[in-house]
């Protein structure tokens, strides 16, 4: 079952169970997906849906940092709950070792030798890790591997 179907089913289940946090979070995620489809005038594939979910998680993590700085325990709790709900729809994340190995294989495959090749490496690597690692993590590892070269 694709992630979009899982989200729709989760929304129905949350409505039946009266789980307000899950219902609200899944609705926001579905709205973001629909908005992206309307903006791009395409139906998003699995990797597109996963990237939207990652973007939603990232925005909540940024808000979480701000809430911590502002000492707002109510917002912190709500945002952590939303992040937990969204993460249930992402595939199991890659460990740093697995991500490093995958990045190393792409670098060798492309013959990348310097930071100037980082764009090519990222363009090839990101679809392979779709939903299993954030762009920040991938970028950090690729940068460190290319600096070693």
């Amino acid at each position: 079952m694709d992630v979009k179907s899982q989200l729709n089913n989760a929304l129905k289940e949350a409505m039946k169970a009266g789980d307000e946090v899950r219902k609200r979070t899944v609705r926001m995620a579905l709205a973001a997906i629909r908005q992206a489809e309307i903006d791009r005038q395409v139906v998003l594939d699995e990797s597109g849906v996963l990237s939207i979910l990652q973007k939603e998680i990232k925005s909540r993590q940024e808000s979480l940092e701000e809430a911590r700085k502002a000492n707002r325990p109510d917002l912190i709790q709500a945002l952590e709950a939303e992040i937990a709900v969204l993460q249930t729809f992402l595939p199991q994340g890659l460990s740093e070792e697995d991500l490093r190995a995958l990045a190393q294989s792409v670098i060798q495959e492309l013959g990348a030798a310097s930071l100037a090749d980082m764009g090519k490496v990222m363009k090839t690597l990101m679809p392979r890790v779709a939903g299993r690692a954030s762009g920040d993590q991938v970028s950090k590892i690729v940068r460190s591997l290319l600096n070693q070269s």
Side-chain angles (χ1 to χ4, degrees):
M1 181 184 305
D2 66 337
V3 176
K4 213 157 133 182
S5 300
Q6 289 176 2
L7 285 165
N8 284 316
N9 289 340
L11 178 60
K12 290 174 193 171
E13 290 170 13
M15 291 171 81
K16 287 178 185 175
D19 187 345
E20 290 299 318
V21 172
R22 190 167 180 81
K23 181 175 77 171
R24 180 181 68 238
T25 305
V26 171
R27 272 192 177 151
M28 283 191 277
L30 285 169
I33 292 167
R34 280 191 209 104
Q35 187 62 49
E37 289 178 337
I38 290 168
D39 291 346
R40 299 176 193 165
Q41 296 181 347
V42 295
V43 175
L44 292 175
D45 61 353
E46 194 72 8
S47 66
V49 171
L50 291 175
S51 71
I52 297 290
L53 289 178
Q54 282 183 319
K55 193 183 301 181
E56 290 294 310
I57 289 172
K58 184 177 181 181
S59 74
R60 282 167 178 76
Q61 287 172 334
E62 290 168 356
S63 298
L64 187 60
E65 290 300 315
E66 294 299 317
R68 285 190 174 124
K69 287 178 187 173
N71 196 22
R72 295 281 310 269
D74 56 328
L75 286 179
I76 292 170
Q77 185 178 9
L79 289 167
E80 286 174 342
E82 289 179 8
I83 289 170
V85 169
L86 290 173
Q87 285 177 333
T88 62
F89 297 101
L90 292 178
Q92 183 64 35
L94 286 173
S95 68
E96 189 166 338
E97 297 82 34
D98 292 340
L99 186 56
R100 186 172 292 278
L102 191 56
Q104 188 66 48
S105 71
V106 169
I107 289 170
Q108 289 173 350
E109 179 183 314
L110 297 175
S114 68
L115 283 176
D117 299 321
M118 186 163 172
K120 288 192 298 187
V121 173
M122 291 294 290
K123 186 176 181 181
T124 305
L125 185 58
M126 285 307 292
R128 295 183 189 180
V129 299
R132 299 183 296 163
S134 71
D136 294 342
Q137 289 174 307
V138 175
S139 173
K140 188 172 113 185
I141 288 175
V142 169
R143 186 178 306 278
S144 73
L145 288 171
L146 289 174
N147 276 334
Q148 292 172 1
S149 299

